[in-house]
Structure formats: C-alpha cells, structure tokens
Amino acid sequence: MSEHAEERQRLLYELRVYLKALLATSDGGEGEQDEVFEGSVHLDRFCLALEAVLRHGFKTKSTFFSGPTDYWEYCKNLGKVLPHAKQSVSNVNNFEQARTSTGKGRAFIRCALVEKALESFISALARNDKLTAEHYEPWALMRTESDLNMLVALLAPLSVVEFSLCLKDVDFDNMRTELGTTEDALSDVATHREIKQQRQDMRRKDAEIDVLQRRVRDLSSAEALDEMSRGELTELAHRTQQELKEALEKLTGSETENVLLVGKLNVATKEIQVMKEKETLMGRSDDEIELLARKAVEMKEATRLLGRDITKLREELGEKEHEIERLREEARSSSAGSTQLHARHQEAMEKLSNAAGEAQRQLYEEREKHAREMRAAE
C-alpha cells in the first residue's frame, strides 16, 4: 500500500471514529430527536477530521492579499454544480467572523450540517470531475473512487441529526485545532454507552415503580371503596330494619284499633236491634233510632278507613321486603371482592331476614287474633 493510500485510510478511520462519537453523544433517547448543540467537543473533532479529508491532496495557492488558499476555494463553486445551494454559499461569504479561506471553509461545513445537506453538498462537488481535478491532486482522497464512496456513506447519517448551532457567535478564523485523539473519542463513546445504559436501566426501574405505585393506588382505592360500601350497607340495613319495626308497630296498632271499632260496631248494632225491639214493645221515638243508626254508619266508615290504612302498611312492608332482597343481591356482588365483607354482609342480611320473618309472624298472629275477635263479636 502506497503512502498516499495509507494516509487516506488513516483519514477515513479518524473521521469514522469522530463521527461515531458525535452520533453516540447526540442520541436523544427513545422517541426523541437526535440533537447537537454548539460547543460540543465531538462536533469540533468531527469538523477537524473532515477538514483534514478535504485538505488531502488539495492544490494550495497563495495570493498577496488573502494568503494561502484552502478547500473553501473548491467548496465555493457548489452553486455552479447545485444551483439551489447558491444561497448557502452566499451566506458563508457574508459571515463577518469568517474572513479567511480557512474560516469560510469551517463555516461552510457547519452551515451544511445545520441544513442537513453535508452529504449531498460533498457528493455534488466530488462528482464534478473537472472541478475536482482542478483543485486536487490525482492521489487525493476526493479523486479516489472507493474512498470517496466511503466518505459519502459516512456522511449520510448526519441528515437525520438536528444541529442547533449559533454560527453568528463563532470566530471561525481562530478556532482550536487540537481537541484530543481517536483514543479519547473511543473512550467517550464507551463512557456514553455506559451512561446511556444506566439511564435506560433507570427509566425501566422508574416504569416499574410507576406500575407498582399505580397498583398500590388501585388497591388503596379498592380498600377505601370496600370500607365505604361496608359502612353504607350496614347503615342501610339498620335504617331498613328500623323502618320495618315502625311499620310493624303501626300495623299492630291499626289492627288493634280495627278490632276495637269492630267490637264497638257490633255493640252499636246490638243496641240498634235492642232499640228496635224496645220501640216495638215500648213505642220509643224514631229520633233515637236514627241517632243510633248514624253512629253505626260512622263506625262502619271508620272501619273501612282503617282497613285501607292496613292495606297501605302491608304494601310498605312488601316494599321493605324488596329492599331486603336488593341488599342481599348487593351483599352477594360485594362478596367476590372481599371474604370478610361477604361475611359481614351475610350477617346483616340474616338479621334483616330474621326481622322480616318476625314482622311477618307478628302480622300473621295479629290477623289470627283479629279473625278470632271478629268471630267472637259475631
């Protein structure tokens, strides 16, 4: 391998290493845009490595006014081979902080990175054989097909990286030219990979923690809901039992009052019968009989109204029984979430069932008692 070939391989190796470091440190992470900011040492190293590639075999000329020429003399012809890039060349020419050929070349590289067009710019220039031959020696990297293809392939990934560079604040004519070695860059890559792995591990752990925290919140909410449901059901069961008790007391009182009224009605009926008999025997006045008849009618109406109240109370008792059945259904549904809650609900339901059974038993006894009294009154 010739001396020029070894030099080309060395330049491409260094460019590859510095590009690798630049891309590694620009990784924005999962779902984020890769981005490079001004002041990145990896950016400066890559730009210096690319400058060395563009200077390899360049035909340097010197003028009295501007000093030795640099690769900018080649790059400034970009507008001739790529018309839409004329504005980019004009922007570089107008940079006040880039007065020398070297400074303008550095500004051109960074402008091309910002525009995500470095690969297309270099490729368009190199593919113009006449222009390239005018500025480079035959052994130059820019005129060696295989090495030029490698160069263009290396630059391709840069088109997806966001370069946030403030070019107006950079003194391109006096930039540093010593920024470490390839070993430093490889060490930075290894360190960055380790840091990236640690960040990924931390994100994974944070995700696991978030999942656990959500589970804890869900369990706490379920427990609070269980506790609330348990309290509500207990209160509802107590309230329903109290209402059943009051309804039973009203029903019992009404049944008793009805029995008394029936007894009074029977007594009044007997009095009327006796009065009629007396009227027949003793010639009593019709006024007294009419008065007793009205009393009998009033007692019959009172008996009818009491019967209606009893029917209403029975309907209320039926509704309470339906409420008890609903509570039982809720207790059965809640039992799937908590064994302890099911046991408490079952106990509450048994109490309600016992209370309802007791109310029905008492109602039955009152009915039997009422029937016996009615038979006795007849």
Side-chain angles (χ1 to χ4, degrees), residues 252-265:
T252 303
S254 297
E255 294 278 4
T256 303
E257 187 175 352
N258 189 38
V259 170
L260 294 176
L261 285 174
V262 170
K264 290 181 180 180
L265 178 60

Side-chain angles (χ1 to χ4, degrees), residues 187-204:
S187 176
D188 290 344
V189 170
T191 301
H192 179 76
R193 285 179 177 173
E194 183 178 351
I195 293 174
K196 182 180 179 181
Q197 183 62 43
Q198 291 176 354
R199 288 176 178 173
Q200 291 176 346
D201 293 341
M202 289 181 66
R203 283 196 292 268
R204 185 172 61 255

Side-chain angles (χ1 to χ4, degrees), residues 33-46:
Q33 173 72 46
D34 294 349
E35 191 168 5
V36 177
F37 296 93
E38 185 63 49
S40 168
V41 66
H42 303 290
L43 171 64
D44 294 337
R45 286 172 177 171
F46 168 77

